[in-house]
Short mmCIF file of all heavy atoms in Angstrom, two decimals:
data_model
loop_
_atom_site.label_atom_id
_atom_site.label_comp_id
_atom_site.label_asym_id
_atom_site.label_seq_id
_atom_site.Cartn_x
_atom_site.Cartn_y
_atom_site.Cartn_z
N GLU A 88 7.06 -10.85 -11.30
CA GLU A 88 5.62 -10.98 -11.12
C GLU A 88 5.12 -9.90 -10.13
O GLU A 88 3.92 -9.67 -9.90
CB GLU A 88 5.15 -12.26 -10.66
CG GLU A 88 5.89 -12.88 -9.49
CD GLU A 88 7.03 -13.79 -9.75
OE1 GLU A 88 7.78 -13.53 -10.84
OE2 GLU A 88 7.20 -14.81 -9.04
N ASP A 89 6.06 -9.21 -9.43
CA ASP A 89 5.62 -8.06 -8.61
C ASP A 89 5.38 -6.80 -9.50
O ASP A 89 4.84 -5.70 -8.98
CB ASP A 89 6.67 -7.59 -7.61
CG ASP A 89 6.98 -8.76 -6.59
OD1 ASP A 89 5.91 -9.38 -6.19
OD2 ASP A 89 8.05 -9.02 -6.23
N THR A 90 5.66 -6.83 -10.75
CA THR A 90 5.44 -5.67 -11.64
C THR A 90 3.83 -5.42 -11.66
O THR A 90 3.08 -6.18 -11.98
CB THR A 90 5.85 -6.08 -13.12
OG1 THR A 90 7.28 -6.18 -13.10
CG2 THR A 90 5.44 -4.92 -14.03
N ALA A 91 3.52 -4.13 -11.36
CA ALA A 91 2.17 -3.75 -11.37
C ALA A 91 2.14 -2.25 -10.95
O ALA A 91 3.08 -1.73 -10.64
CB ALA A 91 1.36 -4.52 -10.28
N VAL A 92 0.95 -1.64 -11.00
CA VAL A 92 0.65 -0.36 -10.53
C VAL A 92 0.17 -0.58 -9.04
O VAL A 92 -0.71 -1.34 -8.83
CB VAL A 92 -0.47 0.39 -11.32
CG1 VAL A 92 -0.64 1.78 -10.60
CG2 VAL A 92 -0.01 0.58 -12.76
N TYR A 93 0.92 0.12 -8.09
CA TYR A 93 0.63 -0.04 -6.73
C TYR A 93 -0.20 1.11 -6.18
O TYR A 93 0.19 2.28 -6.46
CB TYR A 93 1.87 -0.12 -5.87
CG TYR A 93 2.57 -1.52 -6.10
CD1 TYR A 93 3.12 -1.91 -7.17
CD2 TYR A 93 2.53 -2.48 -5.08
CE1 TYR A 93 3.73 -3.19 -7.42
CE2 TYR A 93 3.20 -3.65 -5.11
CZ TYR A 93 3.67 -4.13 -6.23
OH TYR A 93 4.23 -5.35 -6.41
N TYR A 94 -1.36 0.79 -5.54
CA TYR A 94 -2.20 1.86 -5.00
C TYR A 94 -2.21 1.81 -3.53
O TYR A 94 -2.33 0.77 -2.89
CB TYR A 94 -3.55 1.52 -5.62
CG TYR A 94 -3.74 1.70 -7.08
CD1 TYR A 94 -3.61 0.51 -7.87
CD2 TYR A 94 -4.11 2.80 -7.69
CE1 TYR A 94 -3.75 0.58 -9.30
CE2 TYR A 94 -4.19 2.95 -9.04
CZ TYR A 94 -4.06 1.77 -9.84
OH TYR A 94 -4.23 1.85 -11.25
N CYS A 95 -2.21 2.98 -2.95
CA CYS A 95 -2.36 3.13 -1.52
C CYS A 95 -3.85 3.32 -1.29
O CYS A 95 -4.57 3.94 -2.00
CB CYS A 95 -1.51 4.44 -1.05
SG CYS A 95 -1.72 4.71 0.61
N VAL A 96 -4.32 2.76 -0.15
CA VAL A 96 -5.73 2.91 0.16
C VAL A 96 -5.83 3.25 1.72
O VAL A 96 -5.01 2.67 2.47
CB VAL A 96 -6.45 1.62 -0.17
CG1 VAL A 96 -5.91 0.45 0.60
CG2 VAL A 96 -8.03 1.71 0.14
N ALA A 97 -6.65 4.02 1.99
CA ALA A 97 -7.01 4.38 3.35
C ALA A 97 -8.52 4.18 3.74
O ALA A 97 -9.35 4.56 2.89
CB ALA A 97 -6.65 5.95 3.77
N LYS A 98 -8.80 3.51 4.78
CA LYS A 98 -10.24 3.07 5.10
C LYS A 98 -10.57 4.11 6.37
O LYS A 98 -9.99 3.94 7.37
CB LYS A 98 -10.32 1.68 5.47
CG LYS A 98 -11.78 1.26 5.78
CD LYS A 98 -11.79 -0.29 5.98
CE LYS A 98 -11.38 -1.02 4.84
NZ LYS A 98 -11.56 -2.53 5.01
N GLN A 99 -11.59 4.83 6.06
CA GLN A 99 -12.08 5.76 7.13
C GLN A 99 -13.54 5.47 7.54
O GLN A 99 -14.30 5.23 6.75
CB GLN A 99 -12.01 7.25 6.51
CG GLN A 99 -12.32 8.28 7.55
CD GLN A 99 -12.21 9.73 6.94
OE1 GLN A 99 -12.80 9.93 5.96
NE2 GLN A 99 -11.54 10.55 7.59
N LEU A 100 -13.62 5.61 8.80
CA LEU A 100 -15.05 5.37 9.40
C LEU A 100 -15.54 6.71 10.02
O LEU A 100 -14.93 7.21 10.98
CB LEU A 100 -15.07 4.28 10.44
CG LEU A 100 -16.39 4.04 11.14
CD1 LEU A 100 -17.30 3.42 10.14
CD2 LEU A 100 -16.18 3.09 12.29
N LEU A 101 -16.58 7.27 9.46
CA LEU A 101 -17.21 8.44 9.95
C LEU A 101 -18.69 8.04 10.34
O LEU A 101 -19.58 7.87 9.41
CB LEU A 101 -17.25 9.55 9.00
CG LEU A 101 -15.79 10.10 8.59
CD1 LEU A 101 -15.97 11.24 7.54
CD2 LEU A 101 -15.09 10.68 9.85
N GLY A 102 -18.97 8.06 11.62
CA GLY A 102 -20.29 7.60 12.09
C GLY A 102 -20.39 6.21 11.63
O GLY A 102 -19.68 5.26 12.08
N THR A 103 -21.32 5.79 10.84
CA THR A 103 -21.52 4.43 10.34
C THR A 103 -21.14 4.25 8.86
O THR A 103 -21.27 3.18 8.31
CB THR A 103 -23.10 4.01 10.45
OG1 THR A 103 -23.76 4.91 9.65
CG2 THR A 103 -23.60 4.14 11.89
#
Side-chain angles (χ1 to χ4, degrees):
E88 53 264 38
D89 294 321
T90 295
V92 178
Y93 284 70
Y94 297 91
C95 178
V96 58
K98 183 175 295 186
Q99 185 182 51
L100 179 65
L101 293 180
T103 59

